[in-house]
Amino acid sequence: MSKIHITTTVNGDPAEFLASPGMTLLDALRDELGLTGAKEGCGSGDCGACSVMLDGRLVCSCLVLAPEVEGCRVETIEGMAQGGQLHPLQQKFLEHAALQCGFCTPGLLVAAKALLDAHPDPTEVEARYWLAGNLCRCTGYDKIIRAVMDAAADLRQERTA
Amino acid sequence: MPELAYLAPSSPEEAARALASAGSRPLSGGTDLLVQLRAGRVKPDVIVDLKKIAGAVGVREENGGFVIGAATSGAVLGEHAGLVRAWPGIVEGANLIGSTQVQGRASLGGNLCNGSPAADGVPALIAARATCVIVGPNGRREVPVESIVTGPGKTSLVQGEFVLEFRLPARPARASDAYLRLIPRTEMDIAVAGVGVNLVLDAGGVVTHAHVAIGAVAPTALLVASAGAALVGGKLDDARLAAMEAAVRAACKPISDKRGTAEYRTKIAGVLSRRAALIAYDRAGA
Ligand SMILES: Cc1cc2nc3c(=O)[nH]c(=O)nc-3n(C[C@H](O)[C@H](O)[C@H](O)COP(=O)(O)OP(=O)(O)OC[C@H]3O[C@@H](n4cnc5c(N)ncnc54)[C@H](O)[C@@H]3O)c2cc1C
Ligand code: FES
Ligand code: FES
């Protein structure tokens, strides 16, 4: 099978891999690059567990073909903590116990970060709509929303400090 | 499994050539195509990514009207202030598609050409009297949006053809549009009915042009000329709105399914048309 050589940037670092033309970005991240943070919950765009940033846009990596990311910027959950320092969203997810099994967590964190980067001061309703494409079977969402709102408040304070 | 190839041409003509073979499929955002591919419902041997073609992605102004690249994502449309001001109904239709993640990819070209009767982006485009620029083996042609879809999952495009862009007419002062749909919950579902209304008013608030299009209540989205005509010639009084609603209901040919019975869909289409007309009227500055 003729594979395509893909050159891209993942979490700020150049990355190269070989992909068959029908391979998804999700499979490429997990199987070719060993980045297993993004999960496959559904493979059909419904659950958001595979969320990554592609050229600054939140997308489901299960609905992107690997060859499409040639020359693009990909950001995954693995790039969220800086050094050993958790991102405030990650910290708040722990503090608020916003996860149980954790399967949805990488996707939710990536999606929540995209929200706060675009809208630093969302209302709770805005946050819930923004995250409506991320399903969680365990938490009932309330703790997730509380963690996101709390992190948003902290980040705003950090910015003005 | 036959071998799949991926091509990302940079010109429309190159794309038309790549799409000339029977097993080829255009790709825009992939939010329908990848799902169908993975479920084995489509088995193309060539995927032709349209997103590298100049003009297929982005919004520009030309001759006083907007041109929307067919592969432009909903997120990009929602961020285009000029387009939102001129055509808020088209943008709200496009932005209702899926989640934030889906918005990062889903396009109006894909929404139309996938051929779902319930496609949320389509009624407002039809009500806008938008046209599609189609590129194919025999060059270019420009046709009204409503001539593309011929039935569920079926289009009038021939092998090698794809939609390059949508063209919107120039917008006079005191004109606006709206799109409303009903779904059984608040997010992430398929429309039970959807209605797009596009109005132009004169200085006194009298409707001079009106177009109404309905979705999810027939095998394809429909332009209901009689519904538009019912609104023209006066302000939006009760009699005109009632006449429009009746025309909308008369045009509905829905199916019954788990989201709603045919009777319910027909009733709802009427209610949505009235509400959408009032929103468009309000936005037009009456
Ligand atoms: C979780 C989820 C939720 C969704 N919710 C909604 C919703 O609420 N409302 C709704 O209407 N849809 C919804 N959809 C369906 C889908 O997102 C939309 O139809 C979307 O607009 C498709 O656009 P795309 O660019 O992703 O198309 P693609 O998947 O790239 O293409 C769709 C089809 O059109 C063809 N095609 C694509 N572009 C062109 C072109 N320019 N010319 C000719 N043919 C072309 C492709 O070959 C394919 O057959 C949802 C999908 C998902 C996964
Ligand atoms: S795995 Fe991609 S959305 Fe569920
Ligand atoms: S914590 Fe288990 S799915 Fe969200």
Side-chain angles (χ1 to χ4, degrees):
Chain A
M1 190 151 185
S2 62
K3 294 210 169 182
I4 306 176
H5 181 246
I6 313 284
T7 311
T8 172
T9 308
V10 179
N11 299 323
D13 296 324
E16 292 179 43
F17 59 92
L18 291 175
S20 54
M23 179 184 260
T24 64
L25 173 58
L26 176 61
D27 286 345
L29 289 171
R30 294 181 58 87
D31 301 339
E32 304 300 320
L33 295 173
L35 298 172
T36 55
K39 306 276 184 261
E40 178 162 319
C42 65
S44 56
D46 293 290
C47 78
C50 63
S51 297
V52 302
M53 300 299 284
L54 180 58
D55 279 345
R57 294 262 174 223
L58 182 66
V59 302
C60 294
S61 60
C62 72
L63 297 186
V64 176
L65 289 174
E68 291 187 71
V69 307
E70 171 67 37
C72 294
R73 263 183 309 119
V74 180
E75 288 154 274
T76 71
I77 185 64
E78 284 85 355
M80 199 157 165
Q82 293 300 320
Q85 182 82 23
L86 290 183
H87 186 277
L89 273 162
Q90 293 172 305
Q91 195 57 48
K92 292 298 176 192
F93 265 57
L94 289 174
E95 285 171 23
H96 287 268
L99 64 153
Q100 288 176 32
C101 80
F103 198 82
C104 67
T105 312
L108 266 159
L109 285 167
V110 170
K113 181 168 183 297
L115 166 67
L116 299 188
D117 286 347
H119 308 281
D121 194 5
T123 64
E124 187 183 320
V125 170
E126 284 164 351
R128 284 184 186 271
Y129 270 102
W130 183 281
L131 298 174
N134 292 86
L135 303 185
C136 174
R137 295 300 301 246
C138 302
T139 65
Y141 300 103
D142 252 16
K143 291 179 173 182
I144 292 169
I145 295 297
R146 266 180 257 154
V148 171
M149 297 305 283
D150 198 8
D154 269 19
L155 281 163
R156 285 196 303 277
Q157 216 161 28
E158 235 172 71
R159 228 165 268 150
T160 52
Chain B
M1 204 176 116
E3 197 154 315
L4 182 73
Y6 168 88
L7 299 172
S10 56
S11 79
E13 292 69 29
E14 214 186 311
R17 275 195 299 279
L19 287 167
S21 73
S24 63
R25 274 273 184 158
L27 168 73
S28 288
T31 61
D32 280 316
L33 189 61
L34 272 271
V35 175
Q36 293 159 9
L37 202 64
R38 300 190 64 175
R41 268 184 286 152
V42 294
K43 295 188 174 70
D45 39 47
V46 187
I47 285 183
V48 182
D49 189 351
L50 305 177
K51 295 190 294 297
K52 302 278 153 55
I53 301 171
V57 174
V59 181
R60 60 182 204 274
E61 275 179 83
E62 223 175 87
N63 306 324
F66 284 97
V67 181
I68 300 175
T72 312
S73 72
V76 168
L77 299 181
E79 286 163 12
H80 195 289
L83 185 69
V84 173
R85 214 176 305 119
W87 298 100
I90 291 177
V91 177
E92 69 200 347
N95 285 172
L96 277 169
I97 297 168
S99 57
T100 318
Q101 285 86 339
V102 171
Q103 279 293 306
R105 305 281 288 171
S107 70
L108 286 173
N111 194 231
L112 176 68
C113 296
N114 188 57
S116 163
D120 282 307
V122 176
L125 279 176
I126 292 176
R129 312 305 300 119
T131 59
C132 300
V133 174
I134 296 169
V135 178
N138 303 316
R140 294 185 182 219
R141 58 192 182 99
E142 189 170 344
V143 298
V145 169
E146 63 270 23
S147 71
I148 299 291
V149 181
T150 54
K154 293 201 174 68
T155 72
S156 56
L157 300 175
V158 303
Q159 193 67 55
E161 283 189 325
F162 67 98
V163 179
L164 175 64
E165 61 196 20
F166 295 99
R167 290 176 170 268
L168 301 171
R171 212 62 172 135
R174 300 171 75 74
S176 200
D177 67 339
Y179 174 74
L180 288 179
R181 72 167 181 188
L182 180 94
I183 54 174
R185 46 187 187 169
T186 53
E187 249 306 66
M188 305 287 288
D189 209 337
I190 298 170
V192 167
V195 182
V197 177
N198 170 28
L199 300 177
V200 181
L201 316 181
D202 71 11
V206 169
V207 177
T208 58
H209 296 81
H211 300 285
V212 178
I214 55 180
V217 286
T220 68
L222 297 174
L223 179 69
V224 189
S226 52
L231 295 178
V232 173
K235 298 188 178 180
L236 285 197
D237 54 40
D238 237 7
R240 282 201 164 72
L241 286 167
M244 175 200 59
E245 258 192 78
V248 163
R249 291 197 173 115
C252 291
K253 295 186 279 291
I255 54 162
S256 293
D257 69 6
K258 62 183 175 191
R259 289 194 173 72
T261 60
E263 292 77 8
Y264 180 64
R265 288 197 140 98
T266 304
K267 166 118 183 140
I268 288 300
V271 172
L272 293 177
S273 69
R274 174 185 287 257
R275 291 182 189 167
L278 289 168
I279 293 169
Y281 192 76
D282 205 43
R283 286 176 176 165

